[in-house]
Amino acid sequence: YGEARPYLERAQAALEEGDGGQETASLRAEWLVMRSLVLQMEGEAAESERLVREALATAPPPDAHARSLATFALASVLRLREETAQALDAYRRAIHYSREAGNAVAEMLSTVGLAGVAFERGQLRLAAEIAGPVTARLEESGSLPPISSVLYGVLGDVNYQWQRLDEARRYGERALQLSTLG
């Protein structure tokens, strides 16, 4: 994560030279999100949350793309802080903004987070209801990014808990296959 710092610093310098318009505000919100995510990985939850809340305040209301990223980052920091109910709500909002913006990456990350929280809470049916339709849509589209392996892993874990061992193995093998694509 330390390798990201010089890039974030250069981006920050460029943003300071911006015109202060809506595009600059959107880019600043995205920069705040990236900085927040790095801080999360470094275990700095409080500062990460402060930055992501600033990103949400900075992102222009019509910018669903910036809002999808910021809301995903907020959900992630809330999950890190074990504020599960708030994290679930934020992941749902992030999915909504992601779809509105056509941001498939943020939608996938938010869906992975939502399914993961449901599984961690023992809500196996909910985890399957979240992950199942998305994996079916991905299979139909033929577009299977490596991050989708987490959804297959959740489905494998759910089926294992339900004693559906053949299904669990099938999902587990698919998760392994997709995780090696990147």
Side-chain angles (χ1 to χ4, degrees), residues 15-182:
L15 288 170
E16 289 171 2
E17 296 173 11
D19 64 6
Q22 188 168 333
E23 184 177 351
T24 301
S26 291
L27 291 172
R28 177 158 174 69
E30 289 184 40
W31 177 84
L32 287 164
V33 168
M34 295 306 122
R35 183 72 184 108
S36 170
L37 291 171
V38 168
L39 287 168
Q40 283 180 38
M41 296 301 163
E42 295 174 340
E44 299 290 334
E47 181 64 8
S48 174
E49 184 174 359
R50 187 189 70 72
L51 289 179
V52 78
R53 290 194 185 279
E54 184 179 342
L56 285 166
T58 302
D63 188 345
H65 178 78
R67 291 200 169 285
S68 69
L69 297 173
T71 309
F72 163 74
L74 176 62
S76 299
V77 77
L78 290 169
R79 183 179 182 185
L80 183 66
R81 294 171 63 118
E82 297 182 9
E83 296 176 26
T84 310
Q86 297 91 330
L88 287 169
D89 179 58
Y91 279 128
R92 288 183 182 108
R93 283 186 286 125
I95 291 167
H96 168 78
Y97 287 130
S98 299
R99 288 178 180 160
E100 186 179 319
N103 186 345
V105 172
E107 181 181 358
M108 176 62 63
L109 290 170
S110 299
T111 302
V112 164
L114 186 62
V117 170
F119 182 81
E120 290 165 4
R121 293 181 76 187
Q123 297 173 313
L124 303 181
R125 183 167 311 284
L126 177 60
E129 288 171 358
I130 293 165
V134 175
T135 57
R137 222 174 43 234
L138 288 169
E139 291 289 341
E140 286 176 20
S141 74
S143 175
L144 295 153
I147 188 65
S148 65
S149 65
V150 178
L151 292 175
Y152 287 89
V154 167
L155 289 170
D157 287 341
V158 166
N159 279 282
Y160 180 80
Q161 295 298 319
W162 288 341
Q163 301 296 309
R164 297 177 185 165
L165 301 183
D166 289 338
E167 293 275 322
R169 177 175 286 116
R170 185 172 59 84
Y171 283 118
E173 289 171 352
R174 189 66 167 142
L176 182 60
Q177 177 190 32
L178 292 171
S179 69
T180 59
L181 291 178

